[in-house]
Amino acid sequence: MATIQLLRNLSLSSTCRVAVAHKRLPKGFNRPSAMSLFIQEEAKNKMPGAAVTSVFVAAKEKWSAMSVSEKNKYREEADKIGEQRRQEFGKLPLSQQEEMIREYKEHKERLAKNAKNREKRRDKEAKGYPKVPPNAYSLFVKEQLTGQASGSATERMAECAKKWKTMQLGEKAKYESQAEQLKKEYEVAKAQVEKK
């Protein structure tokens, strides 16, 4: 069983020498789907003023109504493009292949972690957990930005950060006491939800 798994991991393509065992190549080197090629073709043929979503929906419906033989044209084209991309990847230096695969895996891990965190947050919201309260700095920024619309968001945030850094401890105490009060309220509400 372990041998079969090892062979699956190592066999990518006879034309593509790859440094690290993996299932998919990095972004830009994988085979496109036949449907995506069809939708791209449909989008080129549609009027330029048409909404993207309406073009996509119409193309998807048209794809669903197509026969298998009509779809095979796009599948063959997708296979051809996929093989070209694999060959391009195989021509890259081994060190560059390894680096791209590593970056791709890290990206996928970040996406999985974000999805897991999003799911945890949704579970907490469904159970009725309160939102985590803002800290003192966040309260200060919220107060400073209320009603302010001039300048870019980056400039306004930079200005707030500069003001916060130059403020005396006595001036910050107002926001810190508010934050502490909100944190206590949060802890009480959280405890009530956990008791249920």
Side-chain angles (χ1 to χ4, degrees):
M1 184 67 175
T3 307
I4 293 171
Q5 186 64 36
L6 179 66
L7 289 173
R8 281 186 190 151
N9 288 342
L10 292 176
S11 66
L12 186 74
S13 162
S14 60
T15 60
C16 182
R17 60 174 172 63
V18 179
V20 180
H22 60 282
K23 294 180 183 176
R24 288 180 55 89
L25 294 175
K27 187 176 180 179
F29 291 101
N30 289 301
R31 174 191 177 276
S33 72
M35 184 178 166
S36 70
L37 293 176
F38 174 74
I39 290 174
Q40 286 175 5
E41 185 177 289
E42 286 294 302
K44 287 178 187 174
N45 296 337
K46 294 292 178 187
M47 294 183 348
V52 176
T53 53
S54 64
V55 171
F56 178 80
V57 169
K60 188 172 184 263
E61 290 171 359
K62 196 172 177 182
W63 174 262
S64 298
M66 288 173 67
S67 68
V68 174
S69 60
E70 291 174 314
K71 291 179 181 180
N72 280 341
K73 169 189 160 191
Y74 295 98
R75 287 190 180 108
E76 290 169 4
E77 188 179 346
D79 290 339
K80 182 179 171 185
I81 292 170
E83 188 56 35
Q84 289 173 349
R85 289 177 177 179
R86 284 187 179 279
Q87 288 175 0
E88 288 173 18
F89 185 76
K91 291 177 185 176
L92 295 174
L94 211 52
S95 61
Q96 189 176 358
Q97 288 179 9
E98 289 173 343
E99 179 66 20
M100 291 175 81
I101 291 168
R102 185 188 59 73
E103 288 174 359
Y104 177 75
K105 284 182 179 180
E106 287 174 358
H107 173 70
K108 286 293 184 183
E109 289 169 1
R110 278 193 306 273
L111 290 178
K113 183 180 177 183
N114 289 345
K116 188 176 179 180
N117 288 339
R118 194 169 33 254
E119 192 63 33
K120 282 182 184 178
R121 189 168 51 249
R122 287 182 183 146
D123 287 346
K124 283 187 173 185
E125 287 173 2
K127 290 178 183 177
Y129 274 83
K131 287 188 175 183
V132 177
N135 61 18
Y137 177 71
S138 297
L139 292 171
F140 170 74
V141 169
K142 184 178 178 181
E143 183 182 281
Q144 293 294 309
L145 295 181
T146 304
Q148 234 185 38
S150 61
S152 71
T154 308
E155 291 170 358
R156 293 185 310 217
M157 288 300 293
E159 188 178 313
C160 286
K162 191 183 285 185
K163 281 183 184 178
W164 180 259
K165 288 178 183 176
T166 59
M167 284 176 68
Q168 300 296 319
L169 291 177
E171 295 171 311
K172 290 182 181 181
K174 168 187 165 186
Y175 302 104
E176 289 169 355
S177 64
Q178 280 181 326
E180 192 62 38
Q181 179 63 33
L182 290 172
K183 186 176 180 181
K184 287 177 185 175
E185 292 171 8
Y186 165 78
E187 293 296 335
V188 169
K190 182 180 168 186
Q192 288 175 349
V193 170
E194 289 174 347
K195 284 182 183 179
K196 292 180 185 178

